[in-house]
Amino acid sequence: MQFIDLQAQYKHLKSKIDARIQTVLDHGKYILGPEVFEFEEKLADYVGVKHAISCANGTDALQLALMAMKIGPGDAVFCPTFTFFASAEAIAFVGATPIFVDSDEVTYNICPQDLEKRIVAAQENGKYNLKAIMAVDLFGLPASYLQIQKIADQYNLLLIEDAAQGFGGSINGQKAGSFGNIATTSFFPAKPLGCYGDGGAIFTNNDNYAQLIKSLRVHGKGTNKYDNIRIGMNSRLDTIQAAILLEKLSFFPDELIARQNAAEKYNKELSMYNDIVTPYVPKGYASSWAQYTIKSDNRDSYRNKYKEKGIPTVIYYETCMHQQTVFKDLRNNSDNFPCAEDLSKSVFSLPMHGYLDK
Ligand SMILES: *Cc1c(COP(=O)(O)O)cnc(C)c1O
């Protein structure tokens, strides 16, 4: 049994995906070809935002968002300590400082109360220009944007949604990828909507950000392609990947239903174990089930039992951001992250995809 069965999905969509790839091979517009713009339009429609701008991967998407917000050295961005490394990495890569925030013990996403505490402390400390909050939709569940947006407004901070895992999720019908000032996602093969290589996208309703990001992804070009008006990146979604994503996106709503059914079956079967905590989805929220993650103080023994039965499990994440070697200079003895550290010691994920059999 596989953790994520990409072959089963390909088999299901093979004729459509193959035909789309062939079309690209026939027209030969491999970089920013017509499929890229067709995909961006459908993507914006799906998420319900004005602009969807594709790029090379989800990490670049975060970096492009931070660059468009002109965040750099001397600035600080708040982000959860319990997340994938790329969230914090992008902040540090543009020269800003990540300020880590503890997790909510029920949703595992960034804790709004702890966030506010750390904003107040950082304001008093006065070392950095406080610029933004980067919330992450961990394991597919959108972060508490209603509360987080209020905090962002109150403290005059920008808000970035890292929806690399949340894409497909929603809050009261509003889709992940539409929260905050700019949102980003990843099309890494194992994400809810994955391509067959690397890919990513940025979402915004702000025309100014959209225009900047379109320039930044092509070396900071001006209206004339050969006149560069700023320092940018080379970060585009390949036309072949856009072609694959077009087919996968049209089937995505069906896959989300299959994932939801699988999650419900897991919830039901696991509810009889009182040392296992199954995922919590607050009322009005929908998860894309990027991961089906459970929590147990007997993690090792459960993982061994699954292994004996040939069922793969993975730990996301064993190391918090504040524990990463590269961030050791940011450590501070008064800082503590009890919830995130507990999660890193007790969570693990079970196989999850749209083609799980009984
Ligand atoms: C996967 C992921 C990213 C980075 O996406 P890539 O396409 O692999 O660069 C960023 N943030 C989170 C939360 C992720 O899960």
Side-chain angles (χ1 to χ4, degrees), residues 21 46 84 91 117 119 172 178 198 237 264 320 341:
I21 292 175
Y46 177 83
F84 179 60
I91 297 166
K117 253 192 249 164
I119 294 171
N172 298 324
S178 68
D198 278 309
L237 180 71
E264 281 170 21
C320 298
E341 287 183 16

Side-chain angles (χ1 to χ4, degrees), residues 56-60 62 83-84 86-87 136 138 162 164-165 185-188 191 198-200 317:
N57 57 70
T59 309
D60 281 6
L62 288 169
T83 180
F84 179 60
S87 320
V136 179
L138 204 66
D162 179 352
Q165 300 178 22
T185 199
S186 162
F187 304 120
F188 182 82
K191 306 282 174 172
D198 278 309
Y317 296 95

